[in-house]
Amino acid sequence: MAAPPPLWQHEVASLAREQARIPAAAGQRLNAADGGEEKLSETWRHVKGVARDESKHHDLMDLVRNARREDTYQFPVAGWPSLLRPLSSVMPELPAMVQDKYRTCQTMCFCGVFPEIRRAWASVDNSLYLWRYDQSNDVPVEYCGEEQAICCVGLAKPKPGVFLAAIQHVLVLATTVEIVLLGVCTSPSKGGGSDHYEELSLQPMPLYTLPSDNTIMTCFASSALGRIFMGANDGHVYEIQYAATDSWRQRRCSKVRVTGGIQQLLPGFLVPLFGQPTALDKLVVDDERHILYSLASNSAIQVFDLGATGTAPANKVAELTDFLNEVARLPTGRTVFALGDDKWGTAIKYLAVIPMAESWKVHLMAVTSNGRRAYFSTSNQVRAGSSWGGNRDGRTSIPSHLDPKVTRPNALVAIDARGPLPQPPAAGVRIATDPASRPMDVTAVLYAQGTLVLAEASGPDGKATKLLMAARNHTLPPATVNVNFASGAPGLREMVSDLNSFIPGETAAIGCIPQASVLGPEVHPGGSWGAMQDELVAQMFSGPQQLVVVSTAGVLELERRRPVDVLQALLAERSADKLKQFFDAYGAPEAAAMCYLIGTQDRQSMRLVEEAANALDNPLLVGQPLMPEEGGGTEAAQNAGSAGGGIYMGTAVNPNPEPDWSGAHKGLALYISRLLAPVWDHRLITPSSGNPNIWKSRLSDATMMVLEAKLRELEKFLHEAASRRKNRGFGRSAGGVTAGAGPTGLFGYLEDGTNRMHQGGGAAAGAAGASVAGVAPTGMAAAIGDAPFAKRQRMWNAFVMEEQRNNAVRALASKAAQALLLLRTIAAANVNRLVNRLDGPGRRALQDANFRDLVLEDKGSSLAAQLVAALVADQLEGGASGAAGGVAELAAALQSGAPAYFRDQDRQFFQATAKLKAAEQAATAAERDAAAKEALAGLLRVPQCVNLSQMVGRLAFLRQYEGIVELVVRCASIADPHSLAWRHGSSADTAAARAARDRCYSHLLDVLKPLLRPGIEPVRAAPVGAAAAAAGDAGAGGAGAGAPEEAALLTPTEAKAAKGKMMQAILQSGDQYLIQVLYSTLVDVGADADLLANPSQALITYLRTEGGMSAQAGANGSGGLSGGDIGPLDSRQVRHLELLARLYIKKGKYSLAANVYRSLASRRNGTGDSAVNLQQRLDAFHNALLQARSVGDEQMTDTIRSSVRCITLQIAMQTRLQQLLARAKQQRQQGAAAAGPSPEQLQSLLKEIQISCLDVSDLYNSYAQPLGMWDMCLEICNFAGSVPSNYVLKLWDLLLKEIWETDEISAPDSTADASDDSDSRLERCCAKVQALGVNFYPNESSLPLVHVTMRLEQAAAGLWPKTSDSVRDPSRVVRCLRAVLAPSAGDNASSVIASVYEQLLARRGALLDGGVAGADIVLGGAGDGAARSALRLGLLKSLVAHCRIVLQEELSSSLTGQVSQG
């Protein structure tokens, strides 16, 4: 099968039509008025403009620094649900096995949680227990493989390639004597299931055990790269290094001490000399910046650099030994921490790494035992009070001293401090006491995703735990909150909440269960600045944050409610006051965005969806759109051209201002912008980094599926909301409104697509007085109804504009969802194979394309069309019998799910393609022909979807030649719908139309041209690529007799028949431009017989036009212009005129053919390809003369004959000039003096004589006479006629004298006989006379025979033109005369010669007249008798010689006559 068409989809004239398409399965249709008139790109710009100020991210340092003490902490509104919610009503106790072991504890016990494997753990002496904290009946996994007590437990991710793939984690156990590594394997249950942590097994690894060297490990940390660090009671940090095998440099498993310096080199008994060591309590690894932190029991913090890539040996770069003194010097530290505070309260309890998503400046947070916090940076260039001008929303580049890839840690600097969390009051009021004065006893701490969780010892006996939480407060700050204008960041405001009940026992550990985003790992919502950490954005793609609290009494799972969870609870409660409080707290846009999130969630209850929709329709919650004149706020005022009321001179005023949109519309813009942000600028399909020849989809199926579902739910939600507002009477008349309002109302205007604001005063008034969704019928409707007409009209305009914007956003969501479905369909196929089907430009466009291009840009639609075409072709190429059915299913799925990219005509096209595939695989010729005709009929119905580059070849392979012509003509009509290519002229529009049609016709000509070349060899039925592909595919599909290679070959007879069919179809198509293209092709390939086989007036007009002749002249029968009225003509134009002449000859119009040839002969000369030489002109005149003779028009014949003679003279003149030029150049090279014109002059004359046809007078006056070409002068006089005889006599004298004296320019040979020289001179004179006389005789005016004979006789006697010896041969002159007269005089030549001599002998005094001025001999009178006698003797000898010749001829002609020998 041929390669798939790279472009099958017709370009859409307006993107608005595509906006109106949504899935047919939903049964929805967007009217043209519902935002369809706006392009999607403009809609996206509007969305970004509306949502521009709603989502910002600031650096944590700026937030902490700008916070005011009285606004540091806030509490939830009274009556709102608690932000911490236990997942079970009863706290599960520790497993009985663990409790029993705990009762017999002898040495030590520990407990904690491993959220990575969904297990809690407890160690009692030498036993370790692991159990599921989320399953109450789970049986713990026990490990008792060690003899000594376990002192430290940790879980690490293994290094790649060290262990088997089944070992997903490494459990590190440290006893008092050794360190053991265990393999951890998790898997689903044996019966199958989606829980990958159901089964757990521990795999002992004896080779990975090493002694602890009398060191008790106290803490553990691991990096994402699999590095394991442990802290010990000796105050040192150790790294457990492990590899797959032993090597000469390193053991398989070893322990390396990171700290200690020279102490590592001393024996153990000398170490106590350096002081009592301080045990390490905690190790923390920053996997983003590759930094290791250690915390000692005396609150000393050490910083270790792991290298820019995290693989370098740990290097200690900083240490903070006096924590209290460091933080007390801060401006905020002096308030939070005071020197002299109790050591217990200021002891550091917890270290937390600050992710780079939250801050580039703050790297570490420390939490003390009484709940106070201190923030640190590892860069000494970040100090308290310093500022950096970049902020997150500005997207400025990060300074090099803050970039961990450039600058490594070099210090540990405290930059800010924060007081302890206050106790939430019973009533939701702001705390009035100083939070720093409240004592706290923190037992466990967790900081994750911007949330701080503290476990505080509480209860009457101190054996219970109070859980406090502080998280970023996303509610709107009060007007009194300070905003630092340098950074633009507000202060860090935190919402403090607690668990409503106490947790039994002492909390030992708090863990955070990783909540992966529903999107794939390849996308990062909000970009690289980590907006995923913004809870308002994160709640769209991930569930609530889940916590695990492990205490001595059991394990409790908690969930932290997100803002959307709080809103969902309030909606379920249906409390208007609380809902109003929520919208006021978060702002209408943000709360509305959450309503859209609730309304579009999968498997959401219909009741909540309805409540969310009602909230969005409630103007008391979200407001209403207002025009600037109605107090629409700053945004509306800016749209109108001012910043508020009043007149501002010089400020541009927008004549069509937009309103200040309602909170519902702002929330919609905010929601869809956040929804599309993860993939909007994401690449779609790119080559693999490892192998550029392998292409992969860059978006996972999970990401595309989730986003598509959300977008479709949003589209459905918006459609239902619009229908609901319509059904509620949005636009019907309200009380106090003009009674003439029509029944259509607002939605009537929107649905009928008119978008007109003024449909009559009554209609406008009725629309303006509409009730808003029935929510506030008394207040709002009354306000609208009682308002003046102008105000009602402005409110009407605002409602209409917002509704149109909502529908435009709905169209954007629909298009984006369709694009995701299309990408999912493509990704499910073999992407690499599909990409290989694209051409080079298509692959380059695909590599650079992102999701934005696919949704908004025309190039995205074109690229999608190519991918769909490749996908369908790949389905057809499967070769199975069900390939056509698979294509039908694919087409149905795409048409219903992505109609913007796959329309009904596309489905018809691919169905026709499937039938074409069946035709290629048909077993018999009859079946193949029937299937091909059916496929062709389908293609003719949707020509706008056809890619001619492949379809034409495949149809030619199936020998559908007439169908090819019809299909190409239809495609060309689509490319040029107004037939601009048929127009005369060369305007830009006409040139573009012709270029578009030429692209279509080129595919037809690729099939026709091989058929036009004559020969006896078989001809391919289709272009080589298409025929080979079709035959190859058919063979691969297991077809029968219709598929082999010989089916693509045509015999000469078949090729002739196919050629006739195609040409006849073209001539009958009515496409004037195509017919001209056909004529041009026939001319170019030399198919003259085929061209002239169909003579028509159109062909004549084409040949004349392309030949440069006037088409009107041919139409009126004049045949064109003669002479130099046409030209210059290039070779192609000349060929067209020659074909025109042949066409006239074929039609018997010889006079028109003669005129065409005359025009060719007389055309103006040009340069290069347009140059014409004299021989070409002569040939054209000869052809014209031949056609003129066929007509029998004597006048035309004589005229053309004269032109032939004139051009012949011109050619002779050209030859003489070339000879003179060569002689002049030779003389110049030899250094001889030039006897005539210079080479430059001759070259100029030669160039002039070649460019055009010259008149005889020009030839004589400009060339022959000035250059002394006397023979040419005589020939011109012979052609011209009516020349005075004396003038001719003088020319003959000059010619003969020049010939006689020619050799005098060279030195004579001294040894030669003088008589021999005279003979040779006379011979040359006679030869010239003979050459000219043959053409001149019997024209006495051109050939004065008596005078010429006299000069020859005088020269023979040595008397003219100068004295010389007489010639030896007395018959030479006579023989010359006989040669001259023989062709014309015949038998009468002897008498003519006798008569000439009689006249010469009869002369007396003038017999010896020299004649030519300058001759050496001028004789006359009776004084020179000897010369006269010599001349007469010569004449008599010549006459005797003549008589002898005549007598000899007569004797030889007689049967008995013999020639005398004596």
Side-chain angles (χ1 to χ4, degrees):
M1 185 181 66
L7 179 60
W8 50 264
Q9 191 176 23
H10 177 54
E11 292 183 0
V12 182
S14 175
L15 194 56
R17 299 192 185 99
E18 296 298 333
Q19 295 179 4
R21 297 184 179 273
I22 64 172
Q28 303 168 5
R29 180 182 62 86
L30 290 181
N31 204 303
D34 295 339
E37 296 177 354
E38 294 187 36
K39 292 187 177 181
L40 291 179
S41 56
E42 197 278 332
T43 301
W44 176 250
R45 288 194 296 270
H46 167 76
V47 167
K48 296 302 292 182
V50 173
R52 64 185 183 275
D53 294 329
E54 306 299 341
S55 179
K56 292 186 177 181
H57 191 90
H58 302 282
D59 195 275
L60 179 61
M61 179 176 178
D62 298 326
L63 296 175
V64 173
R65 179 177 300 159
N66 296 337
R68 294 197 313 176
R69 186 183 179 199
E70 57 271 22
D71 293 312
T72 300
Y73 300 112
Q74 293 82 35
F75 304 99
V77 178
W80 286 16
S82 175
L83 297 183
L84 283 176
R85 181 180 71 91
L87 297 182
S88 60
S89 58
V90 179
M91 177 177 177
E93 296 181 351
L94 296 177
M97 185 184 304
V98 178
Q99 295 185 32
D100 294 341
K101 186 67 175 179
Y102 177 73
R103 295 187 188 100
T104 61
C105 176
Q106 298 178 358
T107 308
M108 60 183 70
C109 62
F110 302 95
C111 61
V113 61
F114 293 141
E116 299 90 341
I117 58 175
R118 306 297 190 267
R119 257 71 177 177
W121 63 272
S123 66
V124 182
D125 294 335
N126 64 338
S127 298
L128 176 68
Y129 299 94
L130 298 168
W131 71 95
R132 290 288 294 262
Y133 51 73
D134 54 353
Q135 296 180 6
S136 59
N137 57 351
D138 185 53
V139 178
V141 175
E142 181 180 6
Y143 176 77
C144 301
E146 305 302 324
E147 297 180 357
Q148 303 299 322
I150 299 174
C151 58
C152 185
V153 180
L155 189 69
K157 181 180 179 181
K159 292 180 180 179
V162 177
F163 307 114
L164 296 177
I167 298 178
Q168 300 151 356
H169 295 85
V170 175
L171 187 64
V172 181
L173 298 181
T175 68
T176 55
V177 296
E178 64 180 357
I179 301 173
V180 179
L181 272 60
L182 300 175
V184 179
C185 304
T186 58
S187 62
S189 61
K190 296 180 180 179
S194 59
D195 189 356
H196 297 282
Y197 305 98
E198 182 68 24
E199 300 290 340
L200 181 140
S201 61
L202 301 179
Q203 302 296 328
M205 297 184 293
L207 297 179
Y208 294 91
T209 301
L210 64 157
S212 61
D213 299 328
N214 297 323
T215 301
I216 298 178
M217 299 299 171
T218 57
C219 51
F220 166 91
S222 65
S223 70
L225 300 178
R227 300 180 67 175
I228 297 175
F229 300 95
M230 303 192 78
N233 62 348
D234 60 358
H236 294 296
V237 178
Y238 297 88
E239 180 175 3
I240 309 302
Q241 297 181 351
Y242 57 99
T245 59
D246 290 326
S247 64
W248 65 273
R249 296 180 57 187
Q250 181 180 352
R251 295 172 54 191
R252 186 191 303 266
C253 186
S254 61
K255 176 169 61 72
V256 178
R257 190 163 70 179
V258 175
T259 56
I262 194 174
Q263 298 182 31
Q264 300 185 52
L265 306 177
L266 299 178
F269 66 90
L270 293 179
V271 173
L273 297 178
F274 291 87
Q276 186 67 24
T278 303
L280 298 183
D281 286 346
K282 193 172 185 61
L283 293 179
V284 179
V285 175
D286 186 345
D287 285 316
E288 292 181 307
R289 303 179 182 90
H290 303 298
I291 303 174
L292 171 66
Y293 301 97
S294 70
L295 174 65
S297 59
N298 61 353
S299 298
I301 304 175
Q302 298 180 93
V303 182
F304 301 89
D305 183 13
L306 303 181
T309 59
T311 58
N315 177 35
K316 180 180 175 181
V317 295
E319 181 176 7
L320 179 63
T321 58
D322 192 345
F323 163 76
L324 182 59
N325 184 65
E326 175 69 16
V327 297
R329 65 174 179 80
L330 299 173
T332 55
R334 286 191 292 268
T335 304
V336 177
F337 295 92
L339 294 177
D341 280 357
D342 62 293
K343 297 297 183 180
W344 175 88
T346 58
I348 298 178
K349 184 70 176 181
Y350 180 80
L351 291 180
V353 172
I354 302 300
M356 294 172 63
E358 296 183 31
S359 176
W360 289 83
K361 308 172 187 178
V362 182
H363 304 161
L364 185 68
M365 181 184 72
V367 182
T368 65
S369 298
N370 56 10
R372 289 176 283 190
R373 284 173 282 176
Y375 297 94
F376 296 90
S377 176
T378 58
S379 174
N380 55 14
Q381 298 186 38
V382 178
R383 295 280 180 179
S386 65
S387 63
W388 166 53
N391 55 56
R392 295 305 175 88
D393 52 294
R395 298 296 191 267
T396 54
S397 58
I398 196 70
S400 59
H401 70 275
L402 297 178
D403 189 352
K405 296 181 180 180
V406 178
T407 304
R408 301 305 303 156
N410 50 35
L412 187 62
V413 181
I415 57 177
D416 218 311
R418 200 168 179 85
L421 303 185
Q423 178 68 31
V429 295
R430 184 168 301 172
I431 189 168
T433 59
D434 186 0
S437 63
R438 176 178 173 269
M440 295 184 67
D441 183 8
V442 177
T443 59
V445 186
L446 173 69
Y447 182 81
Q449 300 178 10
T451 301
L452 176 66
V453 181
L454 300 179
E456 178 188 8
S458 185
D461 54 357
K463 294 183 178 180
T465 301
K466 182 67 175 179
L467 211 59
L468 296 176
M469 183 197 72
R472 175 81 179 275
N473 186 2
H474 293 284
T475 61
L476 297 179
T480 58
V481 173
N482 174 46
V483 175
N484 186 303
F485 292 99
S487 63
L492 177 60
R493 302 164 56 246
E494 291 182 305
M495 184 75 73
V496 178
S497 181
D498 62 346
L499 193 62
N500 294 331
S501 59
F502 291 101
I503 299 177
E506 180 182 352
T507 300
I510 305 175
C512 179
I513 302 175
Q515 291 295 316
S517 171
V518 293
L519 305 180
E522 75 281 0
V523 296
H524 300 282
S528 60
W529 293 98
M532 187 62 185
Q533 301 301 325
D534 185 349
E535 187 177 18
L536 297 177
V537 179
Q539 64 184 358
M540 298 182 61
F541 305 108
S542 61
Q545 186 179 17
Q546 294 186 1
L547 308 174
V548 180
V549 178
V550 180
S551 72
T552 56
V555 181
L556 179 64
E557 289 184 87
L558 301 172
E559 180 180 273
R560 185 175 87 78
R561 284 190 173 100
R562 304 164 298 171
V564 69
D565 299 325
V566 176
L567 176 59
Q568 186 168 324
L570 296 179
L571 289 173
E573 189 177 347
R574 305 188 69 177
S575 173
D577 294 337
K578 294 180 181 179
L579 202 58
K580 184 67 168 62
Q581 289 175 344
F582 187 90
F583 272 75
D584 292 341
Y586 283 92
E590 195 65 62
M594 297 184 207
C595 287
Y596 283 110
L597 177 59
I598 294 173
T600 58
Q601 278 183 347
D602 190 21
R603 295 187 297 273
Q604 183 67 275
S605 67
M606 294 302 299
R607 181 170 172 270
L608 281 178
V609 173
E610 184 177 355
E611 291 297 332
N614 290 336
L616 291 172
D617 285 340
N618 191 341
L620 299 178
L621 299 179
V622 297
Q624 58 183 343
L626 295 176
M627 298 303 291
E629 299 86 347
E630 307 304 325
T634 304
E635 179 179 351
Q638 290 176 351
N639 291 334
S642 66
I647 300 177
Y648 291 85
M649 302 302 295
T651 302
V653 177
N654 185 1
N656 299 308
E658 289 187 334
D660 185 5
W661 310 104
S662 68
H665 182 72
K666 293 179 180 179
L668 175 61
L670 188 60
Y671 178 73
I672 194 171
S673 64
R674 289 175 177 175
L675 196 60
L676 294 176
V679 297
W680 194 244
D681 295 318
H682 205 281
R683 295 292 177 88
L684 304 178
I685 300 174
T686 58
S688 174
S689 57
N691 187 351
N693 295 324
I694 298 179
W695 293 67
K696 294 182 179 180
S697 174
R698 295 305 174 187
L699 292 175
S700 64
D701 185 71
T703 298
M704 293 186 288
M705 184 181 299
V706 168
L707 290 179
E708 180 194 352
K710 287 182 175 292
L711 288 168
R712 292 200 186 278
E713 287 295 330
L714 175 62
E715 177 191 359
K716 178 182 177 182
F717 184 83
L718 292 174
H719 175 74
E720 293 176 351
S723 300
R724 183 171 55 254
R725 287 193 293 270
K726 179 180 179 181
N727 295 333
R728 287 178 178 175
F730 196 0
R732 291 198 296 266
S733 300
V737 185
T738 304
T744 55
L746 172 61
F747 275 82
Y749 288 99
L750 294 180
E751 293 294 337
D752 67 6
T754 60
N755 289 329
R756 300 293 183 181
M757 303 302 145
H758 305 283
Q759 295 291 336
S771 171
V772 182
V775 177
T778 56
M780 181 176 173
I784 297 177
D786 295 338
F789 173 77
K791 182 175 181 179
R792 292 200 305 267
Q793 186 174 3
R794 289 193 296 268
M795 298 182 71
W796 158 265
N797 292 344
F799 279 120
V800 170
M801 295 174 70
E802 179 163 300
E803 193 64 28
Q804 290 177 339
R805 288 295 189 182
N806 288 340
N807 288 327
V809 174
R810 175 183 160 200
L812 175 63
S814 175
K815 185 69 177 293
Q818 296 177 48
L820 289 168
L821 175 65
L822 177 63
L823 288 175
R824 285 181 55 209
T825 306
I826 293 172
N830 189 320
V831 176
N832 199 59
R833 192 163 61 225
L834 297 184
V835 174
N836 288 333
R837 289 180 175 274
L838 304 180
D839 54 7
R843 283 193 290 270
R844 289 191 294 270
L846 179 61
Q847 184 174 356
D848 297 334
N850 54 28
F851 188 74
R852 176 195 181 102
D853 298 332
L854 189 62
V855 177
L856 300 185
E857 303 296 335
D858 291 337
K859 62 181 179 180
S861 299
S862 174
L863 184 60
Q866 298 181 53
L867 289 172
V868 172
L871 181 63
V872 175
D874 190 68
Q875 289 279 344
L876 290 174
E877 208 174 61
S881 59
V887 170
E889 294 177 0
L890 175 63
L894 289 177
Q895 187 179 0
S896 63
Y901 299 98
F902 196 89
R903 301 158 298 171
D904 181 66
Q905 53 263 42
D906 300 323
R907 177 183 58 81
Q908 296 183 37
F909 166 74
F910 285 116
Q911 288 178 348
T913 304
K915 294 175 182 178
L916 201 63
K917 173 70 175 179
E920 293 168 350
Q921 295 178 341
T924 64
E927 294 177 356
R928 179 172 64 247
D929 187 66
K933 290 184 180 299
E934 187 178 358
L936 179 61
L939 294 176
L940 291 174
R941 285 193 292 269
V942 287
Q944 67 273 20
C945 299
V946 175
N947 183 295
L948 294 175
S949 63
Q950 295 300 329
M951 285 301 131
V952 168
R954 297 176 67 179
L955 290 173
F957 176 76
L958 298 172
R959 307 189 183 187
Q960 300 297 314
Y961 296 106
E962 298 96 331
I964 290 175
V965 176
E966 184 177 1
L967 182 61
V968 169
V969 170
R970 293 196 182 186
C971 292
S973 299
I974 294 176
D976 178 23
H978 303 293
S979 300
L980 298 178
W982 298 2
R983 295 182 181 179
H984 297 290
S986 57
S987 65
D989 294 339
T990 302
R994 290 175 179 174
R997 285 185 175 265
D998 286 338
R999 287 192 292 271
C1000 298
Y1001 299 153
S1002 63
H1003 307 293
L1004 183 152
L1005 298 178
D1006 289 341
V1007 178
L1008 179 61
K1009 286 179 181 179
L1011 303 176
L1012 296 174
R1013 300 185 180 95
I1016 60 175
E1017 295 295 329
V1019 179
R1020 285 191 174 273
V1024 176
D1033 291 342
E1045 176 66 19
E1046 54 266 20
L1049 298 178
L1050 298 176
T1051 63
T1053 303
E1054 292 173 334
K1056 183 177 180 181
K1059 175 183 65 176
K1061 291 179 181 179
M1062 293 192 71
M1063 292 183 58
Q1064 194 65 24
I1066 293 173
L1067 295 174
Q1068 295 177 358
S1069 65
D1071 189 336
Q1072 301 177 16
Y1073 186 66
L1074 176 58
I1075 295 175
Q1076 294 181 12
V1077 171
L1078 172 64
Y1079 291 155
S1080 177
T1081 302
L1082 294 175
V1083 171
D1084 293 339
V1085 302
D1088 298 351
D1090 295 316
L1091 178 69
L1092 302 179
N1094 297 281
S1096 63
Q1097 185 60 40
L1099 177 58
I1100 294 176
T1101 302
Y1102 165 76
L1103 291 175
R1104 296 184 65 84
T1105 303
E1106 293 297 316
M1109 298 182 69
S1110 172
Q1112 289 74 14
N1116 59 29
S1118 65
L1121 303 175
S1122 61
D1125 293 327
I1126 65 171
L1129 304 177
D1130 56 28
S1131 60
R1132 196 172 187 277
Q1133 291 176 305
V1134 172
R1135 175 159 169 73
H1136 280 83
L1137 291 183
E1138 290 175 347
L1139 289 171
L1140 176 63
R1142 291 174 58 184
L1143 180 61
Y1144 283 143
I1145 294 171
K1146 184 175 182 178
K1147 300 180 69 173
K1149 298 181 179 181
Y1150 303 109
S1151 60
L1152 295 180
N1155 284 332
V1156 173
Y1157 281 126
R1158 288 178 62 191
S1159 298
L1160 282 173
S1162 304
R1163 67 185 185 272
R1164 288 187 290 270
N1165 192 37
T1167 59
D1169 189 40
S1170 300
V1172 55
N1173 57 48
L1174 298 178
Q1175 185 60 45
Q1176 291 173 336
R1177 296 182 186 275
L1178 179 61
D1179 294 341
F1181 275 126
H1182 279 306
N1183 291 331
L1185 181 61
L1186 179 62
Q1187 303 308 317
R1189 288 173 177 172
S1190 299
V1191 177
D1193 187 343
E1194 294 298 332
Q1195 181 179 359
M1196 177 184 291
T1197 303
D1198 293 342
T1199 302
I1200 297 176
R1201 186 182 290 113
S1202 298
S1203 298
V1204 171
R1205 181 59 181 162
C1206 185
I1207 200 67
T1208 304
L1209 291 173
Q1210 190 171 342
I1211 292 174
M1213 187 73 67
Q1214 176 188 6
T1215 304
R1216 291 290 296 277
L1217 286 174
Q1218 292 173 347
Q1219 294 173 354
L1220 290 176
L1221 178 61
R1223 185 181 304 168
K1225 290 181 178 180
Q1226 183 179 6
Q1227 290 177 354
R1228 175 173 289 183
Q1229 292 175 356
Q1230 294 175 354
S1238 65
E1240 290 76 13
Q1241 294 173 334
L1242 292 174
Q1243 185 69 43
S1244 177
L1245 293 173
L1246 184 61
K1247 182 177 180 180
E1248 292 175 359
I1249 203 172
Q1250 292 174 342
I1251 61 175
S1252 63
C1253 294
L1254 300 178
D1255 188 72
V1256 290
S1257 61
D1258 294 331
L1259 291 176
Y1260 187 91
N1261 296 326
S1262 300
Y1263 298 94
Q1265 196 275 339
L1267 295 177
M1269 299 179 182
W1270 312 119
D1271 53 345
M1272 294 300 303
C1273 291
L1274 288 170
E1275 291 201 35
I1276 292 173
C1277 290
N1278 178 66
F1279 170 70
S1282 302
V1283 179
S1285 58
N1286 292 335
Y1287 196 84
V1288 174
L1289 295 179
K1290 180 182 291 186
L1291 290 177
W1292 275 106
D1293 289 347
L1294 291 172
L1295 173 63
L1296 294 176
K1297 180 176 180 296
E1298 182 185 30
I1299 295 174
W1300 185 275
E1301 297 175 350
T1302 299
D1303 287 345
E1304 291 185 357
I1305 60 175
S1306 59
D1309 188 358
S1310 59
T1311 61
D1313 192 351
S1315 60
D1316 293 338
D1317 182 61
S1318 298
D1319 288 340
S1320 62
R1321 294 176 187 272
L1322 180 62
E1323 181 66 28
R1324 289 197 301 273
C1325 291
C1326 290
K1328 176 57 70 174
V1329 172
Q1330 180 179 340
L1332 295 176
V1334 170
N1335 296 324
F1336 293 174
Y1337 187 81
N1339 187 357
E1340 183 66 23
S1341 61
S1342 300
L1343 181 62
L1345 199 57
V1346 174
H1347 180 77
V1348 172
T1349 303
M1350 182 190 68
R1351 291 306 184 200
L1352 292 177
E1353 290 293 347
Q1354 288 175 348
L1359 301 176
W1360 188 90
K1362 60 192 306 183
T1363 304
S1364 62
D1365 294 334
S1366 61
V1367 299
R1368 300 176 181 178
D1369 185 6
S1371 64
R1372 181 65 189 92
V1373 177
V1374 174
R1375 286 188 284 106
C1376 172
L1377 294 177
R1378 292 180 63 85
V1380 171
L1381 298 176
S1384 301
D1387 296 338
N1388 195 32
S1390 299
S1391 60
V1392 173
I1393 294 175
S1395 174
V1396 169
Y1397 276 98
E1398 288 178 359
Q1399 295 181 42
L1400 290 175
L1401 290 174
R1403 289 185 179 186
R1404 291 294 182 263
L1407 183 63
L1408 297 179
D1409 185 8
V1412 179
D1416 293 341
I1417 300 177
V1418 183
L1419 302 175
D1424 194 359
R1428 184 180 297 107
S1429 299
L1431 179 57
R1432 288 185 175 277
L1433 179 60
L1435 292 174
L1436 292 174
K1437 288 181 179 181
S1438 297
L1439 184 58
V1440 172
H1442 170 65
C1443 292
R1444 289 180 178 177
I1445 293 173
V1446 171
L1447 179 61
Q1448 186 177 2
E1449 290 177 349
E1450 292 178 353
L1451 291 177
S1452 62
S1453 62
S1454 176
L1455 296 177
T1456 59
Q1458 299 291 332
V1459 180
S1460 175
Q1461 301 294 330

